[in-house]
Amino acid sequence: MNSTKTITQSWELQSILNTAKDLLATGATTASTGQHIAAALSLNRSDLLPVNYNNPIHAWEYLDPHWQQLVKTAQLELKSLY
């Protein structure tokens, strides 16, 4: 059961990282709202949040605890990009 969760987390984390790279490259993404929020927060870039979630606190609260943890992990992975 844990291995399934690890695979899911890896896919979710990779989607955040890919979305963050898209946002840095173009300022836009076609990712889901949650992925978009997680990527923008991982980059510490509130200017990249979706229009309806431009308040970082509201954006953070949109994410469930699992995705909030993924944001923290993604921040460590993305430090070299910003």
Side-chain angles (χ1 to χ4, degrees):
M1 187 170 199
N2 285 342
S3 62
T4 303
K5 185 137 180 110
T6 301
I7 291 168
T8 301
Q9 286 178 344
S10 296
W11 178 87
E12 292 165 335
L13 179 58
Q14 193 60 48
S15 72
I16 293 169
L17 297 174
N18 289 338
T19 302
K21 291 173 186 174
D22 289 345
L23 287 172
L24 285 175
T26 66
T29 182
T30 59
S32 71
T33 301
Q35 290 169 331
H36 188 158
I37 289 171
L41 293 175
S42 295
L43 292 166
N44 293 317
R45 295 277 307 269
S46 60
D47 60 307
L48 294 175
L49 287 168
V51 174
N52 293 334
Y53 296 92
N54 60 358
N55 179 311
I57 293 170
H58 294 150
W60 180 255
E61 291 174 346
Y62 177 88
L63 302 174
D64 67 28
H66 172 70
W67 277 78
Q68 289 175 351
Q69 185 59 48
L70 288 169
V71 167
K72 294 174 185 178
T73 302
Q75 280 183 328
L76 297 174
E77 296 283 330
L78 292 167
K79 278 189 174 187
S80 65
L81 297 177
Y82 63 92

